[in-house]
């Protein structure tokens, strides 16, 4: 594998080699169809080829993209003024008709991105350069959602037969799954699934390029050791995922650099709040986790600093709430730990709750999803054991673990959430904490926690367009969940990238490589 990568790199070398960029990740892009996937990496990659009406900069701030400005006409109508003299990669002009076509395509079977657009019910044309988005209710996060409104060319899509989205679940591909005609800073040159995807800079891009790249080659390299070896050998210029244990090897190489920081993703432990008797426990006839004292006992039995120091090699950021303080709208003042690590307090709380000898419980954890997930769970099992909670480990591969948490087949579990794709704290409330009442509400509330007041606040925040008021609503909701110890937030895990020294990667906490910001030395 490594030899093949090195040969490919050598063949790509030439007069413009200084501006050619080769990079790797642990998985391939699922599809080139910009509307068919909700996979974070796939959408991030496609955002280099396709663009929405808005975009995030390196600080995760919203800025204009294909819409140069906008205004709110009424609480449920937003008007967007589109950029003029913008063309797709094949030279076709961009206008309002492409926006309407994109909206229609987002409403075909298989278009998973539709969920991100949320409350939008209609897109209508005012003139060739003006469209209005109509929503079913005030929708304050519309500008965040429209970063994923990847605009497609109507004429090209009709010509190649790509008027409907690919349906990955049904294994039905649109022609757009393997070819692309975007509007973004890079255009597709070649696509070899599971091998490489080649791009080149778009010379007619509407924006002023900050990058200095001419060609880009992406290679999926699944094995961590092989990715690190490819970087060390010079076969690739960068990798956007390396295991923390490889950091010392890379830092010892004077030609390489490590780029790391906190990810938006908060890793946490959750409880079954729903069942009257736990699935995996020696306690019969009742659910210990319905008692707040038991949840607090778990909270105070876990030494997050020891995990940061010994398991995470110093590369984690202890969390005091369920949303990263870097998410838009997150109440950063709540991020301090609610209670200190205190095993004696845990034992006392368990005794007060009626479990002086502790109890047994199953703990569901992945072993290939998060940074050091299995090691974290093993450390926590030992910590809980010291206060009398005897854990039955259920440490399983991603496909087994995800099925378990998605079907509520859990008593206690590890999970993580990054507030993506909206990059807004409200999304955490809506997805993780709000009562699960339908497929689109509380979708990741695996423990089926329910607090009517939090539901009210979350619903109110979903409609509040005054940002100060919206933040106040979210702050109250997060504070209630925090005080209830509905979950045990652990930390934000690290993003660890590495590259040849001198390459500017513009790493952001959403863990997305924006090629438009990459500069080679």
């Amino acid at each position: 594998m490594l030899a093949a990568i090195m040969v490919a790199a050598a063949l790509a070398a030439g007069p413009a080699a200084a501006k050619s960029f080769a990079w790797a990740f642990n998985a391939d892009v699922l599809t080139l169809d910009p509307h068919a996937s909700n996979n974070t990496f796939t959408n991030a990659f496609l955002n280099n080829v396709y663009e929405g009406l808005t975009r995030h900069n390196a600080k995760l701030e919203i800025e204009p993209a294909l819409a140069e400005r906008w205004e709110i006409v009424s609480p449920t109508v937003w008007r967007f003024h589109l950029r003029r003299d913008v063309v797709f990669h094949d030279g076709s002009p961009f206008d309002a008709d492409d926006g309407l076509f994109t909206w229609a395509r987002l409403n075909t079977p298989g278009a998973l991105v539709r969920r991100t657009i949320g409350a939008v019910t209609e897109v209508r044309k005012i003139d060739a350069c003006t469209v209005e988005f109509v929503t079913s209710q005030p929708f304050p996060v519309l500008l965040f959602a429209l970063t994923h409104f990847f605009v497609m060319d109507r004429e090209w899509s009709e010509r190649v037969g790509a008027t409907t989205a690919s349906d990955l679940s049904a294994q039905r591909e649109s022609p757009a799954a393997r070819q692309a005609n975007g509007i973004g800073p890079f255009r597709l040159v070649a696509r070899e699934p599971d091998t490489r995807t080649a791009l080149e800079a778009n010379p007619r891009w509407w924006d002023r390029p900050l990058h200095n790249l001419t060609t880009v080659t992406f290679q999926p390299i699944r094995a961590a050791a092989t990715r690190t070896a490819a970087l060390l050998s010079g076969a690739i210029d960068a990798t956007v995922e390396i295991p923390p244990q490889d950091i010392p090897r890379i830092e010892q190489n004077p030609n390489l650099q490590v780029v790391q920081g906190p990810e938006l993703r908060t890793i946490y432990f959750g409880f079954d709040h729903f069942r009257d008797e736990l699935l995996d426990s020696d306690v019969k006839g009742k659910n210990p986790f319905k008692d707040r004292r038991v949840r607090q006992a778990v909270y105070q039995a876990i030494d997050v600093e020891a995990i940061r120091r010994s398991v995470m090699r110093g590369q984690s950021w202890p969390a005091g709430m369920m949303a990263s303080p870097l998410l838009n709208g997150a109440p950063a003042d709540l991020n301090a730990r609610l209670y200190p690590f205190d095993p004696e307090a845990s034992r006392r709380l368990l005794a007060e709750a009626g479990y002086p000898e502790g109890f047994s419980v199953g703990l569901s954890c992945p072993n290939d999803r998060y940074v050091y997930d299995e090691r974290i769970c093993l450390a926590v099992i030992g910590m809980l054991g010291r206060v009398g909670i005897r854990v039955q480990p259920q440490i399983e591969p991603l496909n087994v673990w995800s099925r378990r948490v998605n079907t509520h087949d859990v008593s206690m579990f590890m999970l993580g959430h990054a507030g993506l794709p909206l990059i807004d704290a409200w999304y955490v409330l809506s997805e993780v904490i709000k009562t699960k009442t339908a497929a689109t509400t509380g979708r990741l509330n695996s423990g089926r926690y329910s607090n009517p007041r939090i539901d009210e606040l979350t619903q109110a925040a979903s409609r509040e367009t005054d940002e100060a008021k919206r933040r106040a609503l979210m702050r109250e909701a997060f504070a209630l969940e925090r005080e209830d110890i509905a979950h045990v937030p652990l930390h934000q895990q690290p993003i660890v990238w590495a590259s040849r020294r001198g390459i500017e990667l513009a790493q952001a906490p959403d863990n997305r490589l924006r090629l438009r910001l990459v500069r080679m030395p």
Side-chain angles (χ1 to χ4, degrees), residues 447-483:
R448 289 181 284 186
Y449 171 69
S450 182
N451 183 313
R453 178 57 180 162
I454 291 177
D455 293 348
E456 292 174 6
L457 292 164
T458 303
Q459 183 65 18
S462 75
R463 298 170 178 265
E464 182 54 68
T465 55
D466 183 297
E467 185 63 15
K469 293 179 180 178
R470 191 175 82 97
R471 287 174 180 254
L473 292 167
M474 292 194 293
R475 188 189 188 286
E476 183 179 348
F478 279 112
L480 286 172
E481 186 280 337
R482 182 173 180 260
E483 182 60 33

Side-chain angles (χ1 to χ4, degrees), residues 32-35 49-50 88-93 98 101 105 151-164 174-182 188:
L32 293 185
D33 191 320
H35 304 145
V49 177
Y50 291 93
F88 288 91
H89 293 161
D90 68 352
S92 301
D98 299 306
F101 166 77
R105 194 175 191 272
V151 175
M152 292 184 68
D153 179 22
R154 176 180 60 82
E155 294 179 352
W156 177 85
S157 299
E158 291 174 349
R159 186 168 65 251
V160 302
T163 57
T164 60
S174 160
R178 294 174 184 264
Q179 55 185 311
N181 181 35
L188 181 70

Side-chain angles (χ1 to χ4, degrees), residues 42-365:
T42 296
N43 289 350
F45 182 90
L46 290 176
N47 202 187
N48 295 301
V49 177
Y50 291 93
E51 291 189 286
L53 300 191
T54 58
R55 70 185 183 190
H56 287 98
N57 61 23
K59 297 180 180 179
L60 301 186
E61 299 164 333
I62 287 290
E63 60 184 25
L66 295 181
E68 60 184 2
R69 58 187 176 89
W70 49 81
E71 63 261 1
I72 300 177
V73 177
S74 75
T76 58
V77 178
W78 294 59
R79 181 172 296 163
F80 292 86
H81 302 273
L82 307 180
R83 294 186 186 278
R84 301 171 185 268
D85 302 321
V86 173
V87 297
F88 288 91
H89 293 161
D90 68 352
S92 301
F94 158 67
D95 61 20
D97 288 334
D98 299 306
L100 268 62
F101 166 77
T102 297
W103 169 244
R105 194 175 191 272
L106 279 170
N107 283 280
T108 61
L112 297 183
V113 173
R114 174 66 180 88
R115 185 185 303 154
T116 304
I117 309 302
V120 176
T121 58
E122 181 187 1
V123 179
R124 57 198 184 202
K125 176 181 176 181
I126 304 303
D127 57 42
C129 293
T130 313
V131 295
E132 287 184 345
F133 279 69
V134 182
T135 59
S136 60
Q137 63 178 48
F139 190 45
V141 294
L142 178 61
L143 296 180
F144 298 87
L146 291 183
T147 63
H148 287 269
F149 191 82
F150 292 152
V151 175
M152 292 184 68
D153 179 22
R154 176 180 60 82
E155 294 179 352
W156 177 85
S157 299
E158 291 174 349
R159 186 168 65 251
V160 302
T163 57
T164 60
S166 301
D167 190 334
L168 300 185
S169 62
Q171 297 183 324
R172 179 182 58 78
E173 280 195 346
S174 160
R178 294 174 184 264
Q179 55 185 311
N181 181 35
I183 210 166
F186 293 86
R187 60 189 186 188
L188 181 70
V189 174
R191 169 68 173 159
E192 300 173 39
D194 295 318
T195 302
R196 75 179 186 112
T197 302
L199 309 175
E200 65 181 7
N202 175 12
R204 293 188 289 186
W205 187 38
W206 60 267
D207 201 3
R208 180 177 65 85
L210 297 179
H211 71 85
N212 63 349
L213 308 180
T214 52
T215 61
V216 175
T217 302
F218 165 69
Q219 298 168 330
I221 306 177
R222 301 185 187 279
T226 307
R227 283 196 309 279
T228 300
L231 181 67
L232 290 166
S233 71
I236 57 175
D237 297 305
T239 171
V240 294
E241 184 177 56
I242 63 169
Q245 65 266 24
D246 283 355
I247 292 175
R249 289 180 64 199
I250 294 171
E251 288 182 330
Q252 290 169 8
N253 189 317
N255 298 318
L256 301 177
Q257 63 186 3
V258 173
V259 182
Q260 59 185 318
E263 190 180 23
L264 291 175
R265 189 182 312 278
T266 298
I267 305 299
Y268 61 91
F269 290 99
F271 308 101
D272 179 354
H273 291 265
F274 185 78
R275 292 182 177 87
D276 292 326
E277 180 179 303
L278 293 178
L279 292 176
D280 307 296
S281 177
D282 57 4
V283 177
K284 302 305 177 184
K286 60 180 178 178
N287 178 349
F289 292 138
K290 289 193 174 187
D291 190 321
R292 183 189 180 282
R293 293 171 295 184
V294 174
R295 302 196 298 272
Q296 183 177 339
V298 172
Y299 190 110
Q300 293 198 262
I302 298 175
D303 188 348
V304 295
E305 285 297 332
I307 291 172
R308 184 190 66 81
R309 182 177 61 253
S310 301
V311 178
M312 301 300 294
R313 300 171 183 260
Q315 296 303 316
S316 65
W317 289 261
M321 63 176 176
M322 287 290 287
S324 163
L326 299 176
L327 280 172
N328 179 66
D333 61 305
L334 296 182
N335 203 42
R337 296 289 292 177
L338 183 61
Y339 294 104
F341 168 61
D342 189 342
E344 287 300 322
S346 295
R347 296 186 191 96
R348 185 171 60 253
L349 287 162
L350 289 172
E352 291 175 3
Y355 307 100
E357 304 303 321
F359 60 92
S360 66
V361 66
L363 173 61
S364 176
C365 292

